[in-house]
Amino acid sequence: MFDPLFSFVQKPKLWERSKNPFWDDHHISAKMLEAHLNPHWEAASRKHSDIEESVNWLTSIIPPSSKILDLGCGPGLYTKRLSIQGYDVTGIDFSKRSIAYAKEQDQQSKYIYQNYLELDDTESFDAITLIYCDYGALTFNERQTLLSKVFCALKPGGQFIFDVFTNKTQQSKKDASLWSMYQDGGFWSAEPHLCLEAESILRIIL
């Protein structure tokens, strides 16, 4: 008899998009926010010391008083820092929890709960940022959509600043698979669950 467990360890289709509401899942969004706010944990965001360095670099290449759009802003870690530097900043994120936190902590910036792939602005921003490799999590078609939306939303001569994964990022990674049992719940679920991992990328929750 076929064990249904084996169906969970089959490789998914390349670039197959999950139908689960990942960013707004009640439990996962809380864990994501916790990861964002941990200053020493390089998980949902970079370490806060690295964020400070990134913002210093951004302010060196974006002209003062520019209008900036921060895509995937999360709880506003970059957005708020850029506003403090005198920029007119708008943050967009698809997590209600993160946007609510950002609004509580930063009344100077504008925050929007929205999928940035549905952006509909025309020549509105001097610079647009997409930080911490969001681009690498998009499918090929989503990347085309994003680039088209960004092109429309930028003013003539505007800058799109984003980071990507390179071959160097993968150099220390090795093919691996493992499983872990979380009796009291964990990052992916508040309920007891088994987590199967392959190549540190695919995670399946049972």
Side-chain angles (χ1 to χ4, degrees):
M1 183 176 178
F2 179 72
D3 189 333
L5 181 62
F6 287 101
S7 67
F8 290 103
V9 297
Q10 302 302 310
K11 247 185 184 177
K13 294 178 182 178
L14 188 61
W15 300 113
E16 186 175 30
R17 175 59 65 205
S18 170
K19 300 296 190 296
N20 295 327
F22 180 87
W23 303 111
D24 268 341
D25 177 271
H26 179 74
H27 175 76
I28 293 177
S29 66
K31 291 296 184 180
M32 287 289 288
L33 181 57
E34 179 185 345
H36 277 299
L37 300 180
N38 188 321
H40 309 296
W41 191 12
E42 193 148 323
S45 292
R46 290 190 171 91
K47 292 182 294 185
H48 290 197
S49 58
D50 292 339
I51 292 175
E52 295 287 353
E53 289 188 24
S54 295
V55 170
N56 289 337
W57 177 75
L58 288 168
T59 59
S60 74
I61 63 172
I62 302 176
S65 303
S66 290
K67 191 172 182 181
I68 301 174
L69 177 64
D70 185 12
L71 301 177
C73 67
L77 300 180
Y78 293 85
T79 317
K80 181 178 180 179
R81 286 172 169 84
L82 289 167
S83 286
I84 291 172
Q85 294 295 326
Y87 294 99
D88 179 359
V89 193
T90 298
I92 291 181
D93 200 272
F94 210 20
S95 168
K96 291 178 183 176
R97 189 186 296 271
S98 285
I99 287 293
Y101 177 90
K103 287 180 176 179
E104 288 176 2
Q105 301 298 314
D106 176 17
Q107 284 77 47
Q108 188 171 337
S109 306
K110 178 182 179 182
Y111 289 99
I112 302 171
Y113 167 66
Q114 182 183 355
N115 182 346
Y116 56 62
L117 294 176
E118 298 174 358
L119 186 66
D120 189 24
D121 288 89
T122 303
E123 297 187 1
S124 301
F125 301 96
D126 300 293
I128 297 177
T129 59
L130 181 69
I131 301 173
Y132 207 24
C133 303
D134 261 37
Y135 192 78
L138 302 176
T139 69
F140 179 76
N141 288 337
E142 286 170 344
R143 292 175 185 177
Q144 289 186 311
T145 298
L146 171 69
L147 294 175
S148 176
K149 298 279 188 180
V150 166
F151 181 79
C152 289
L154 282 172
K155 296 177 182 178
Q159 304 176 75
F160 179 39
I161 303 166
F162 64 109
D163 52 6
V164 296
F165 291 115
T166 66
N167 290 336
K168 187 175 181 180
T169 310
Q170 309 299 327
Q171 283 178 359
S172 61
K173 295 184 182 294
K174 297 180 180 179
D175 288 350
S177 60
L178 57 94
W179 65 272
S180 305
M181 182 68 192
Y182 295 89
Q183 296 280 10
D184 301 316
F187 184 91
W188 302 103
S189 174
E191 303 298 324
H193 63 277
L194 177 67
C195 182
L196 308 178
E197 298 187 39
E199 299 178 350
S200 301
I201 298 172
L202 170 64
R203 289 183 173 85
I204 303 168
I205 311 304
L206 304 175

